[in-house]
Amino acid sequence: LETGKTALKTKIVTPGLVIRETPVGENDKLLAILTAENGLIRAFADGARRIKSKNAAATSLLSYCTFTLYKAKDTYKVTDAVVIDLFFELRYDLEGLALAQYFCELALRQVPEGQHNAVFLRLLLNALFLVMHHKRPFELIKAVYELRFAAEAGYMPDLLGCSVCQKEQDGRFYFDYKEGCLFCSGCRRGNGGFGAYLNNTVLCAMRHILYAPFQKIFSFTVPPADLNLLSDCCEKYLSTQTESHYKTLEFYRSVCMKQENNDDK
């Protein structure tokens, strides 16, 4: 703690990822920083927009740094930032950058401020690494991020078996997005609202995402024929549970569509 003339200041040194940067005045920025120890932090970076600012790169979107912050009352200020990774290659990949921005918007809108929860930062960093290096199909990375993010944010679905008869295996389960549960073919009648039918491949993939150890959640493959269903189900479940509409997701879809049209020419 450091005592000033008018306020008690708290010094915080923490790794964090910039998930939004907003211009303030002529030279400053307001950053949204995702941290492990303090959740989401909003901090001012004075002079960071100046060309010669020592923190110009470190305070840009997707910069992962060790930040030195001072907190006075409810206001954080960045005094120093040491770069760990800039995820620089993403800036040359429009589709990957659009997907990364969607991931950041999810964190920005759903991660609590000031709460210790390292899993959100870890999940986002892993997803960004895989996107940047094209380690997995983008739709698979997106599905894993969405479903595991939903579970960690308090929207954990029950995919162990039918919510009525507890049957664990069935030819085709119905996944109810609103209730976050499964209905087997026999119990589906009279139950379930907005959702989709899942084949065994997609259901196994979703169970893996939810119940596998964190370090293994991206370690699986899905046939191309099933990947779109997996991605669609995870996306709709997350949006239904959070009751939110994400503009960056729309942008990502528009970029994908444009890319597909160019590939067809």
Side-chain angles (χ1 to χ4, degrees):
L1 299 180
E2 297 188 9
T3 305
K5 293 182 179 180
T6 59
L8 191 66
K9 294 184 178 181
T10 303
K11 180 180 178 180
I12 299 173
V13 180
T14 180
L17 179 74
V18 178
I19 58 175
R20 174 171 289 183
E21 55 173 333
T22 304
V24 176
E26 293 184 2
N27 298 308
D28 306 334
K29 291 181 182 181
L30 175 61
L31 306 178
I33 305 171
L34 184 62
T35 72
E37 297 296 327
N38 299 90
L40 187 65
I41 289 177
R42 300 176 192 274
F44 289 96
D46 295 342
R49 294 171 62 202
R50 294 193 183 100
I51 296 176
K52 295 183 179 181
S53 171
K54 66 175 183 177
N55 292 327
T59 57
S60 59
L61 182 66
L62 301 182
S63 295
Y64 179 46
C65 308
T66 299
F67 289 96
T68 300
L69 308 166
Y70 277 89
K71 181 182 180 182
K73 294 184 178 180
D74 296 325
T75 302
Y76 287 92
K77 283 197 174 184
V78 177
T79 59
D80 192 30
V82 179
V83 172
I84 301 172
D85 196 338
L86 294 176
F87 293 98
F88 194 75
E89 291 88 339
L90 279 174
R91 289 158 175 77
Y92 297 97
D93 180 355
L94 182 57
E95 189 173 340
L97 181 59
L99 184 56
Q101 290 174 326
Y102 169 51
F103 292 163
C104 288
E105 185 183 3
L106 283 176
L108 182 69
R109 294 175 61 176
Q110 301 300 330
V111 175
E113 294 189 30
Q115 293 186 16
H116 172 83
N117 196 329
V119 71
F120 290 113
L121 178 60
R122 185 181 178 190
L123 179 61
L124 182 49
L125 289 173
N126 276 264
L128 292 179
F129 175 84
L130 293 172
V131 170
M132 184 172 67
H133 295 287
H134 291 251
K135 293 288 187 179
R136 295 285 189 277
F138 282 2
E139 289 300 304
L140 188 146
I141 300 171
K142 171 181 165 295
V144 174
Y145 186 86
E146 288 170 327
L147 190 56
R148 191 70 176 224
F149 183 96
E152 299 293 347
Y155 306 106
M156 180 74 168
D158 181 4
L159 300 186
L160 292 176
C162 175
S163 63
V164 177
C165 69
Q166 282 72 57
K167 183 188 296 184
E168 295 182 3
Q169 299 295 330
D170 193 70
R172 194 171 61 151
F173 276 105
Y174 182 85
F175 179 40
D176 189 308
Y177 298 144
K178 185 175 182 180
E179 299 300 325
C181 65
L182 298 173
F183 295 102
C184 69
S185 55
C187 297
R188 167 68 177 91
R189 184 173 296 178
N191 292 297
F194 173 53
Y197 282 102
L198 309 179
N199 60 35
N200 188 58
T201 300
V202 173
L203 179 57
C204 286
M206 294 175 72
R207 285 172 171 168
H208 176 89
I209 295 168
L210 290 174
Y211 307 127
F214 188 91
Q215 64 270 23
K216 296 183 179 180
I217 58 175
F218 291 99
S219 300
F220 70 97
T221 58
V222 175
D226 297 310
L227 185 53
N228 286 338
L229 176 59
L230 174 64
S231 178
D232 188 61
C233 286
C234 295
E235 176 184 313
K236 288 181 178 177
Y237 176 71
L238 177 63
S239 63
T240 300
Q241 292 296 314
T242 60
E243 298 181 337
S244 298
H245 178 76
Y246 301 99
K247 291 184 178 180
T248 49
L249 177 59
E250 286 186 359
F251 178 66
Y252 169 66
R253 288 298 181 206
S254 68
V255 171
C256 291
M257 186 174 297
K258 184 176 181 180
Q259 183 62 49
E260 290 175 0
N261 291 337
N262 289 337
D263 292 342
D264 291 339
K265 293 181 180 179

